[in-house]
Amino acid sequence: MQKESIYKQVEAEIYHVTEGENNIIANMASVSCLLNLAFEDFFWVGFYIVDPKKERELVVGPYQGTLGCLRISFDRGVCGAAAQSGKTQIVANVHDFPGHIACDSQTNSEIVVPVYNKKNELIAVFDVDSTKLCTFDDIDKFWLEKILKTVFEK
Ligand code: SME
């Protein structure tokens, strides 16, 4: 199946499951689970939450995959770059990204999307890692931004 069709299908499932649910952790767990099941290449799928008790630091949230690092400063890695800039980061080859945090050496490419609440405050970043190179493009950016906006800005 084409990437677009998979996103359309999984988007509908995500909206169905999270409709009327406002608990952030429950929604993060459901989004991670459904996207991980939908795409074969997705190897680590989950959230790093902005820690309200620490200055510019992310702490691991709900995810699917192998063990992720627990904390990431805004100054480090692809997740940090997404949190700092507030912009989606697409990395075709993580080995070329200065400061990439290798939680698992199987990761070769990744996308990280900032997640906002309805007050437009950054609450987390959503990180998807792939074992293949060059997995992510503007189609992933479009759909992931759309899904995260609908689920967390309501
Ligand atoms: N890829 C991230 C680190 C987190 S994990 O790989 C689960 C980064 O460089 O920001």
Side-chain angles (χ1 to χ4, degrees), residues 49-59 71-74:
I49 299 171
V50 176
D51 188 340
K53 292 181 191 146
K54 294 262 180 159
E55 184 85 0
R56 296 161 51 78
E57 193 169 286
L58 301 162
V59 62
R71 290 185 174 272
I72 300 176
S73 150
F74 276 30

Side-chain angles (χ1 to χ4, degrees), residues 1-14 30-43 45 64 128 140 144 147:
M1 231 201 301
Q2 289 292 307
K3 205 190 254 201
E4 286 267 3
S5 327
I6 301 178
Y7 272 116
K8 269 187 202 148
Q9 198 174 308
V10 73
E11 178 195 39
E13 288 169 27
I14 289 171
S30 306
V31 167
S32 307
C33 173
L34 291 171
L35 281 166
N36 184 55
L37 288 173
F39 290 95
E40 248 172 58
D41 293 350
F42 288 12
F43 152 77
V45 182
Q64 304 267 318
V128 185
D140 301 278
L144 294 176
I147 291 168

Side-chain angles (χ1 to χ4, degrees), residues 36 41-45 64-66 104 106-107 128-131:
N36 184 55
D41 293 350
F42 288 12
F43 152 77
W44 196 98
V45 182
Q64 304 267 318
T66 55
D104 193 309
Q106 293 178 73
T107 299
V128 185
D129 298 353
S130 166
T131 49

Side-chain angles (χ1 to χ4, degrees), residues 44 48 67-69 72 76-80 99-104 107 110 112 127 129:
W44 196 98
Y48 278 92
L67 185 69
C69 25
I72 300 176
R76 292 198 58 221
V78 188
C79 291
H100 170 253
I101 305 160
C103 291
D104 193 309
T107 299
E110 68 178 274
V112 183
D127 178 8
D129 298 353

Side-chain angles (χ1 to χ4, degrees), residues 5 18 21 29 40 52 56 65 69 76 81-82 84 93 96 100 103 105 117 120 126 138 141 149:
S5 327
T18 59
E21 179 56 67
E40 248 172 58
R56 296 161 51 78
C69 25
R76 292 198 58 221
Q84 181 143 280
N93 182 350
D96 292 342
H100 170 253
C103 291
S105 58
N117 63 15
N120 206 32
F126 182 63
D138 281 346
K141 178 178 185 290
K149 189 175 168 61

